[in-house]
Amino acid sequence: MVEKEELEKSIATLSVLYSTAAWKIKAETEDEVLRVGLDRIAELVLPDIGAILTLADGILKPSITFGLPKRVAKISSVEIGLGLAGEVFLTGRPIAINDLERDQSFIDSFVKLWRPKTALCYPLRVDEKMFGVIYLARLTDVPFTKEEEWFVTLVSEKIDLAISMIQKQR
């Protein structure tokens, strides 16, 4: 019975991956693109907290979030180079951390109260220029799998492409 459940789960995952690979984000604004992208990630990856932070006035601010009160997102910011989101924005490289309790320096200020156990952060860029990051966290010690990391990569590429197309239409 376990094999059948695993097979069904794998088929469902492949279906979502295929639909995402073929998916074109049809949105009119950058905020809509970010919302649709984060929603797509949440469908498969199932994080407890999700955010897309974008650069505004030299700092990263949550633009789209779930799992956090709106007031927290509204007043939060992350300095470039600090915390997980700041480090990913600075380096342009994704980072997955499976034991945030061991390294508190990677816990971003906007999620500190929730004490995430695992986190994944992925850069967002348009035409090779960084504009933000995707931040995902789990409150349990369930690590993000390589498949989930690959899926976030795929969605981020779709976000980048859709935003690029919107900017070129201006």
Side-chain angles (χ1 to χ4, degrees):
M1 194 63 164
V2 173
E3 289 178 13
K4 183 179 178 186
E5 288 175 9
E6 284 295 316
L7 182 59
E8 288 174 351
K9 182 179 176 186
S10 294
I11 290 170
T13 301
L14 284 172
S15 174
V16 172
L17 290 174
Y18 175 77
S19 70
T20 301
W23 168 57
K24 287 187 178 179
I25 300 175
K26 294 177 181 151
E28 304 220 355
T29 68
E30 293 173 10
D31 281 348
E32 284 180 88
V33 169
L34 298 177
R35 166 60 57 206
V36 169
L38 191 58
D39 286 348
R40 179 57 67 109
I41 290 168
E43 285 175 37
L44 184 69
V45 179
L46 304 174
D48 296 306
I49 296 170
I52 293 183
L53 293 91
T54 55
L55 187 63
D57 301 323
I59 58 174
L60 294 169
K61 294 187 174 222
S63 297
I64 307 293
T65 65
F66 66 84
L68 296 171
K70 290 193 187 302
R71 63 178 165 67
V72 170
K74 195 176 233 181
I75 64 168
S76 296
S77 64
V78 174
E79 290 185 42
I80 295 171
L82 298 180
L84 182 60
E87 180 71 17
V88 168
F89 189 88
L90 180 67
T91 65
R93 292 189 308 264
I95 299 175
I97 299 179
N98 293 326
D99 189 0
L100 280 170
E101 290 179 333
R102 185 177 293 170
D103 191 349
Q104 298 283 315
S105 68
F106 277 111
I107 299 178
D108 289 300
S109 58
F110 70 100
V111 295
K112 234 178 197 157
L113 292 174
W114 288 264
R115 299 182 181 201
K117 305 280 192 260
T118 62
L120 172 64
C121 193
Y122 202 88
L124 291 170
R125 36 175 93 76
V126 171
D127 299 326
E128 298 303 312
K129 183 177 179 190
M130 292 288 299
F131 74 89
V133 298
I134 297 170
Y135 179 94
L136 307 169
R138 289 186 175 139
L139 303 179
T140 62
D141 58 0
V142 175
F144 290 95
T145 66
K146 291 296 177 195
E147 291 82 8
E148 290 169 329
E149 290 178 36
W150 181 81
F151 182 72
V152 174
T153 301
L154 182 63
V155 173
S156 73
E157 290 170 357
K158 297 293 184 177
I159 290 171
D160 297 347
L161 181 61
I163 289 179
S164 177
M165 292 176 77
I166 288 171
Q167 290 177 352
K168 286 177 183 173
Q169 290 175 352
R170 291 184 186 155

